[in-house]
Amino acid sequence: MHNNKIITGVAVAAAALLLTACSGGSAPSSSPEAVAPAPSVAPSPDATQREELYRALEAIDRGYVRRTGPAQRHSMEVCADIVAGKDPATTAKNAEASFRGIQEEESGPDRGQKIVDAVKRTFCH
C-alpha cells in the first residue's frame, strides 16, 4: 500500500512538471498542420460493464478477479492503449505485462490478446 502512495505521488509530480514545461509562451499557429490532436481518454466501465469485465477476465484466469481493483485499473490501461491507436501486437504485449503477477493460476498462449478482446467486448468500444 505504501508503494502505491509513493508511485501515485511521483506520477502526480511528474504530471505537474510536464504541464509546467508545456505551458511555454509561444503563440499557437493558425495552420491546421500545427494543431495537435486532443489526447484520448480511455473510458471507465460502469457497474454493469465492470461485472461483465470481471466475468470475461475470470474466464481467462480466475486469479485476475480475486482483487478487482488492480483488474479494473489494468483493464483501463489496456483500453487507453486501444484508444491511443497502438498497434495490436503492442497492445496485447502491454496487456499481458500489466496483468502478469495478478495471482495468475497458469500461463497460457495469447493471454494478452484474450485480455484485449475482453476489454474491447465489455467496455472499451
Side-chain angles (χ1 to χ4, degrees):
M1 184 64 127
H2 185 262
N3 286 340
N4 287 342
K5 288 181 181 180
I6 292 171
I7 292 171
T8 301
V10 169
V12 169
L17 287 172
L18 180 62
L19 288 173
T20 302
C22 291
S23 64
S26 63
S29 171
S30 62
S31 69
E33 295 80 26
V35 177
S40 301
V41 176
S44 177
D46 63 27
T48 302
Q49 293 169 329
R50 198 168 31 255
E51 290 303 316
E52 292 172 6
L53 172 66
Y54 295 155
R55 280 194 299 273
L57 291 173
E58 186 175 41
I60 299 166
D61 190 312
R62 289 179 293 182
Y64 289 158
V65 294
R66 287 192 182 124
R67 293 180 35 226
T68 57
Q72 180 175 334
R73 185 177 66 252
H74 294 311
S75 295
M76 291 175 64
E77 291 168 0
V78 171
C79 186
D81 281 357
I82 294 166
V83 170
K86 290 189 178 178
D87 69 274
T90 299
T91 301
K93 179 182 172 189
N94 290 348
E96 194 277 328
S98 290
F99 278 82
R100 188 179 311 124
I102 301 183
Q103 299 183 6
E104 289 180 314
E105 294 183 349
E106 59 186 58
S107 62
D110 303 320
R111 184 172 294 253
Q113 187 57 53
K114 289 176 184 177
I115 294 167
V116 170
D117 293 342
V119 168
K120 283 182 179 180
R121 187 173 58 251
T122 58
F123 77 96
C124 188
H125 311 290

